[in-house]
Amino acid sequence: MSGRDFIQLPGPTNIPDRVLEAYRRPIVDFGGPKFREILDDVFERLPAVFSGSPHVVSYISNGHGAWEGTLRNIVRPGEKLLLADTGMFSGRWGDMVEGLGFKLQTTPARIREGADVEAVRDALGADADHEIKALLIAHTETSTGVRTDLAPLRAALDEFDHPALIVVDAIASLGTEVLPVRELGLDVVISASQKGLMMPPGLSFAAVSDRALEIAQEIHEEGSYWAWPSRLDVSAPYRRYGGTPPEQAVFAMQVALDMIDEEGGVEGVIARHERLADAARAAFTVWSEGGALEFNAIHKDERANAVTALRLADGIDGELLRAMCRDRFSVTIGGGMLDMADGRGIRIGHLGDLNEPMILGALAGVETAMRVLGIPLGAGALDAAMASLASS
Ligand SMILES: *Cc1c(COP(=O)(O)O)cnc(C)c1O
């Protein structure tokens, strides 16, 4: 088909041509001065993207690798973690915790609202012996489109003077939401390259506080591929990737960081995501007036800037809609997850390398597909999106 396909998935996301071009650069000697300069530059600039986390470790993996890498640095086998269950991704993280031989306590799953803070409070309050070593939370749960406010979780730890680390999965929220790393003392912020960072899948990150690094230093098993202390050894830069560095990905990351700087830093990137997500939400609100769909996230202030999950009314087939969007209107959107799987929901990503005409075009494509399928919609969704952009 002519023209570009629009990718509106909640990851992987669109990649700017400049970033893609970096993958065509030839190999250099990774021990030589040229590569060292680029590697040092990238690792010097990454902490700002992670809102000030002092130490940033990167793995050649998707986000699951940083999940595992983090667990191996902060707990010993048999130790306990508390997971605030907010949906599919946090659930899978919990499965990993147990599979690796750590103890897991979870709070009841919340899929239309942020994490169950009361249950977290109860768990911490009951843990006088401080068996819980860390609290795990997905900031934006990509399966539900819900963002959890992290401040009440910090407050719950403070209330009981509980020393557990706060470990945040920010795979979908990096670059799309304000990450209060310093304000809330977030100990580990985990992310991956293929969402807000506008890169292909393949790199993951753990941004680590001084306290979390001290724990990793105590636990540190010499020789572990995942160990943070050796990866942060700047006297031997090749150790940053525990072996041969992914040179082209590092070149590409430098370009992505340049683009973030050109946008006014991560704050500028977050502001753009907020603006575009507001426009998308304005359109979804009008669509929902037809009674065929609704926001999965019940509370307006918990609707994520990265992705919106829409619940479809009975009788509306989300998979048919997705196929129509993709095959006839060149817009790829995500399918529903959890109880919205099998066509009972759709997820529209609005993150990554995205601008105003792209989001408007994608919304128009999806609406046209819904019209073809006879899905009842409120009138004027595109107008509402344009009005939102015009006033922001
Ligand atoms: C995408 C995503 C993941 C999974 O990331 P992978 O790179 O596929 O491992 C985990 N958590 C959240 C919140 C995500 O958005």
Side-chain angles (χ1 to χ4, degrees), residues 62-64 67 89 140 142 169 171-172 194-195:
N62 57 26
H64 284 64
W67 276 354
F89 288 101
T140 288
T142 310
D169 171 345
I171 296 176
Q194 76 274 19
K195 297 193 182 180

